[in-house]
């Protein structure tokens, strides 16, 4: 709810899990909940380990998005910063310790 993703539905998986489908702009994000919880992802963003580390969402309201996350108790890993002229980012951590980057251009 904090990120404003649109819930499109859920689908049963053959292994007993459930796939939740969410829209992020024009992109469909599929999050699978398994019947048995595997080991959590190693925290620490890009340098934390191999495999899935983080994903980027382009936004037009970076300051507001970071505030909404912080207000909801989500860990802000990197506060808002300019990485090159006209490009600002911030990072938050999902419940498993994976990082989500918000990027604003312009």
């Amino acid at each position: 709810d904090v990120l404003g993703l649109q819930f499109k539905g859920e689908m049963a998986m053959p292994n007993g899990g459930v796939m939740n489908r969410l829209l992020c702009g024009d992109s469909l994000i599929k999050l699978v909940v398994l019947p048995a919880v595997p080991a959590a992802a190693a925290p620490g963003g890009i340098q934390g380990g191999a495999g899935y580390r983080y994903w980027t969402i382009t936004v037009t309201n970076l300051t507001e998005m970071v505030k909404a996350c912080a207000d909801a108790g989500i860990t802000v890993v990197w506060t808002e910063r300019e990485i090159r002229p006209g490009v600002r980012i911030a990072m938050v951590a999902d419940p498993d310790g994976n990082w989500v980057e918000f990027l604003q251009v312009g």
Side-chain angles (χ1 to χ4, degrees):
D1 291 338
V2 174
L3 300 182
L5 303 180
Q6 181 184 1
F7 182 72
K8 296 304 288 182
E10 62 180 41
M11 180 175 70
M13 301 294 291
N15 65 358
V18 175
M19 176 189 292
N20 295 286
R21 298 183 325 273
L22 305 136
L23 278 180
C24 179
D26 293 332
S27 297
L28 182 64
I29 308 299
K30 297 176 180 177
L31 300 175
V32 177
V33 179
L34 301 172
V37 179
I46 299 167
Q47 294 84 13
Y52 169 77
R53 302 309 313 142
Y54 77 96
W55 56 299
T56 301
I57 301 173
T58 301
V59 298
T60 57
N61 60 341
L62 181 62
T63 301
E64 294 84 359
M65 183 61 70
V66 174
K67 182 180 182 325
C69 289
D71 289 350
I74 295 169
T75 301
V76 177
V77 179
W78 291 355
T79 57
E80 188 175 336
R81 60 191 63 191
E82 187 170 59
I83 58 169
R84 60 184 177 272
V87 179
R88 299 189 62 76
I89 66 167
M91 293 266 195
V92 299
D94 76 7
D96 293 325
N98 297 299
W99 288 7
V100 178
E101 175 185 53
F102 298 116
L103 171 112
Q104 181 172 332
V105 178

